[in-house]
Every structure is written in structure tokens, then in C-alpha cells.
């Protein structure tokens, strides 16, 4: 859910291959790994970096940008070939300044004596916020409007708690408010703030001593590490596995919430393995997550992770896509259509994963058609998703006119292409 700090790409003149090598090494990525991610050989990567091959076409530049997790194509191509296109860091939302202001505030005086919401009242407000997020097509707008007051009130409740149980309950709510903030901040140009919120959420979760709260904060911390790039995969695994070791002894008598966060963490382990290209481990953890999901009621849907029985088909698509198995991605996508995901943003995210599978399988028109459905479900999900942006930009350069027009129309609606 975050992006690595942008490398200094201002030391012009650098050749394309030199920039590519600099970005690759700063991400801790081998030539073999990068080659696998873009469907080429390690020798091809070496020749491009060494300047023995010409700068690739736009479609390959976009794939390299996706694999290297660059924010703007100018990081890879140089300022002289810059396009106003951010990939894994989307545009700043209009609510970002007010959310950032309250996150950056550090009250240093004594806690105010004014009335403070109880943890129980804050929990009810937070539950309403999660429901609003799942039902709203423009979910960042909804969450961004609610977060400032929620953060201030949860911080105040934690400071004013005057007993151990009340303090732990307040810290649990505060940790989950920070979790909601991470969903808002993801893929926006404030990656440092996202890390700050993730760390605060982990501290508050530990203070709460609540297994479910600890699991949720760890789940989001693992995502932050994994999405930073290959050099953080080990840290993502460490957070995931340590938390699973903590939760698994509790499972025989666990609540639905603890079961769900355990299943979500098991899938996260598989997700990271898939990013590494370890198919056996990825599917083993997916299967462990499915076994956990089967212990939940069919209609159960975890409000933070979206985990439940209906999400496992979508998770299977994600594993296949991350393993770059186009045919398997499409097969899993067809099977996953049996279920309905009760969340607009999560449903849109699933359609984006399906679109990635169609493109891997050589079906670009199906990919764009699926992204159109994702846009209908939740415009703010697709607008901030780097994979969706890359597919649309690549198709806007396709040779057949009808494909270019369809992709360009979607790109205009997403705000990444000019009219």
C-alpha cells in the first residue's frame, strides 16, 4: 500500500538503461527477477541496461515501470521524455490536506477536560465509516470527510482513559482508525505519512492487547512492506509469520473476527510468495486461507480485510496474476464470478485483477472491458490503481483504432489522459 521513496532521477543526462539499472538495484531486484516480471530474459535486461539495445517501446516501458514501482515515468525515461502520468502513486485527493493536518498534529499539553466520546461510541462511528466505505463508489471522498474528527476523537479518548480496560479499549479503536486512514492514504503522494500511520497503528494495537486489533495492524504493515518492493519482502514475511504464530494458538475458540484476520494473514503470506514467483508456497498459503474461510459463515465479510468465503475466488485470481500465469488467471476469474463481493472498492479491485489476467493471457480487449466495469463499481479505486493505469495507457497506444479509442475514453474518465 505504499511506494518506495523516489530515487534521484535528476542527474541528467542518464541513458534509459542506466536509469533502469539504478531503479532496479535500489529496489534490491536481480536481473532475473525483473526479467521474469516483464516476460523477457535476464540477458535482455542486461543488454538494455548496458545500452546495447534501444529504448523499448511504450508498452514495455510501462511494464518496466510497473515492475520497478516507479511513481512517474520520468523516473525511468528522463525529464526529456516525461509524461504527466503517475503509476503507483496516484493524484493527491482533495481531502488529503485536512487528513494530513490532523495526522501531523501533536497535542503536547494536558488532555482536555471537554467531553470525550467513549470507546463504545467511537466503535459505533468507526463501524459506520467502514460500511460507508464499502458502499460508496467514491470511497476516498467519504472516508476523507470522516477521518479528521475520528482521528482527533480517538486520540483524545486514548489520552483521557483513566482505567486499564478503558485505555485498552480506546487503543483498539485508535489502531483501527489508523487502519482506515491507511486505506485513504494508499497510492497517494504521501508514502512517508502512510508509514507513520502504519507504525502508530501497530503501537496502538500492541497497547490494546487485543488479538484481532493486533492482527489487523500487522496485516496492513505487511502490505506496506510488500508494496515497497522486493527488498522489503522479507520484512513483510516476518511481520506476517510472527503474527500468525501469535494468533494460531487462539484459533480453537476464536471469534469470527480472529478467524478472519488469521485467514487474511495466511493469504498475505501467499501473496508475498507469489510476488517472489514461488508458486508452491503461494498456493499452499492460499489453501490454508481457504480452510480458515470455510470455518466462517458463508455471508461473513470482514470489514477491514474483506476476508470471507466469498473472497477466496478473488484471492485465487490475485495469486495466479502475481505468478504471471495468464491462462490460470482467466480460469480462476471465471470460477470467481460465482460469488458476489459485498463491497464496491473490493469488487472493483477484483475486476482490476481479472483485467491483469486477461492482458497476461493476450486478451487486451477483455482487459479494458473489465476495467470499464471496475470504473462503474468504484471510480476512485481504478483511478488510484497502478495496474489499471498501466493497462489503459498501454492500450491507448495500440495499433487498432477501435482499441485505442476505447482505452482513451476510459483514460479520460480516469483522469490520466487529456480530452
Amino acid at each position: 500500500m505504499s511506494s518506495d521513496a523516489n530515487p534521484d532521477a535528476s542527474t541528467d543526462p542518464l541513458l534509459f538503461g542506466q536509469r533502469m539499472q539504478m531503479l532496479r538495484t535500489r529496489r534490491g531486484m536481480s536481473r532475473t527477477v525483473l526479467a521474469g516480471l516483464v516476460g523477457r530474459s535476464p540477458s535482455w535486461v542486461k543488454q538494455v541496461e548496458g545500452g546495447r539495445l534501444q529504448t523499448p517501446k511504450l508498452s514495455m516501458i510501462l511494464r518496466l515501470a510497473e515492475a520497478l514501482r516507479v511513481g512517474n515515468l520520468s523516473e525511468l525515461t528522463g525529464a526529456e521524455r516525461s509524461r504527466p502520468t503517475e503509476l503507483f502513486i496516484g493524484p493527491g485527493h482533495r481531502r488529503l490536506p485536512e487528513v494530513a493536518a490532523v495526522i501531523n498534529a501533536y497535542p503536547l499539553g494536558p488532555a482536555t477536560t471537554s467531553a470525550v466520546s467513549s470507546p463504545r461510541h467511537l466503535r459505533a462511528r468507526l463501524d459506520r465509516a467502514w460500511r460507508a466505505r464499502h458502499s460508496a463508489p467514491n470511497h476516498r471522498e467519504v472516508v476523507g470527510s470522516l477521518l479528521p474528527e475520528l482521528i482527533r476523537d480517538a486520540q483524545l479518548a486514548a489520552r483521557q482513559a483513566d482505567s486499564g480496560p478503558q485505555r485498552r479499549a480506546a487503543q483498539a479503536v485508535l489502531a483501527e482508525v489508523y487502519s482506515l486512514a491507511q486505506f485513504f492514504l494508499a497510492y497517494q503522494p504521501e508514502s512517508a505519512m502512510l508509514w507513520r500511520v502504519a507504525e502508530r497503528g501497530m503501537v496502538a494495537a500492541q497497547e490494546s492487547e487485543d488479538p484481532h486489533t493486533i492482527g489487523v495492524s500487522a496485516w496492513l504493515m505487511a502490505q506496506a512492506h510488500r508494496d515497497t518492493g522486493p527488498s522489503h519482502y522479507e520484512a513483510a514475511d516476518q511481520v506476517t509469520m510472527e503474527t500468525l504464530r501469535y494468533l494460531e494458538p487462539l484459533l480453537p475458540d476464536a471469534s469470527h473476527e480472529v478467524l478472519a484476520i488469521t485467514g487474511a494473514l495466511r493469504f498475505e503470506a501467499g501473496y508475498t510468495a507469489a510476488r517472489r514467483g514461488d508458486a508452491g508456497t503461494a498456493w499452499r498459503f492460499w489453501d490454508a486461507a481457504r480452510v480458515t474461510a470455510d470455518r466462517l459463515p458463508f455471508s461473513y465479510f470482514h470489514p477491514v480485510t474483506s476476508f470471507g468465503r466469498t473472497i477466496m475466488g478473488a484471492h485465487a485470481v490475485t495469486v495466479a496474476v502475481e505468478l504471471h500465469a495468464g491462462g490460470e488467471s482467466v480460469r480462476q476469474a471465471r470460477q470467481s464470478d460465482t460469488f458476489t463481493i459485498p463491497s464496491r472498492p473490493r469488487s472493483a479491485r477484483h475486476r482490476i485483477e481479472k483485467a491483469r489476467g486477461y492482458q497476461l493471457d493476450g486478451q487486451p480487449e477483455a482487459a479494458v472491458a473489465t476495467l470499464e466495469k471496475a470504473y462503474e463499481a468504484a471510480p476512485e479505486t481504478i483511478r488510484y490503481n497502478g495496474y489499471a493505469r498501466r493497462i489503459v495507457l498501454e492500450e491507448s497506444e495500440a495499433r487498432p483504432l477501435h482499441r485505442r479509442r476505447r482505452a482513451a475514453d476510459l483514460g479520460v474518465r480516469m483522469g490520466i489522459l487529456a480530452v
Side-chain angles (χ1 to χ4, degrees), residues 359-392:
Q359 193 178 56
L360 283 169
D361 198 45
Q363 301 183 53
E365 292 183 77
V368 173
T370 306
L371 289 179
E372 289 172 336
K373 293 179 181 178
Y375 185 87
E376 292 170 7
E380 286 193 344
T381 293
I382 186 171
R383 189 172 293 135
Y384 285 83
N385 186 281
Y387 299 115
R389 296 160 77 87
R390 191 266 293 170
I391 292 171
V392 170

Side-chain angles (χ1 to χ4, degrees), residues 26 35 38 56 75 87 90 103 138 152 162-163 200 204 225 252 257 266 268 273 276 289 311 331 333 339 389 417 419:
R26 289 191 181 184
V38 299
E75 297 176 48
L87 292 173
I103 290 172
N138 292 312
R152 277 192 293 264
D162 55 9
S163 69
R200 288 186 193 175
H225 277 297
E257 287 71 24
R266 285 172 171 167
E268 286 304 309
R276 281 198 178 96
I311 205 69
R331 188 180 73 83
F339 305 118
R389 296 160 77 87
L417 293 173
V419 178

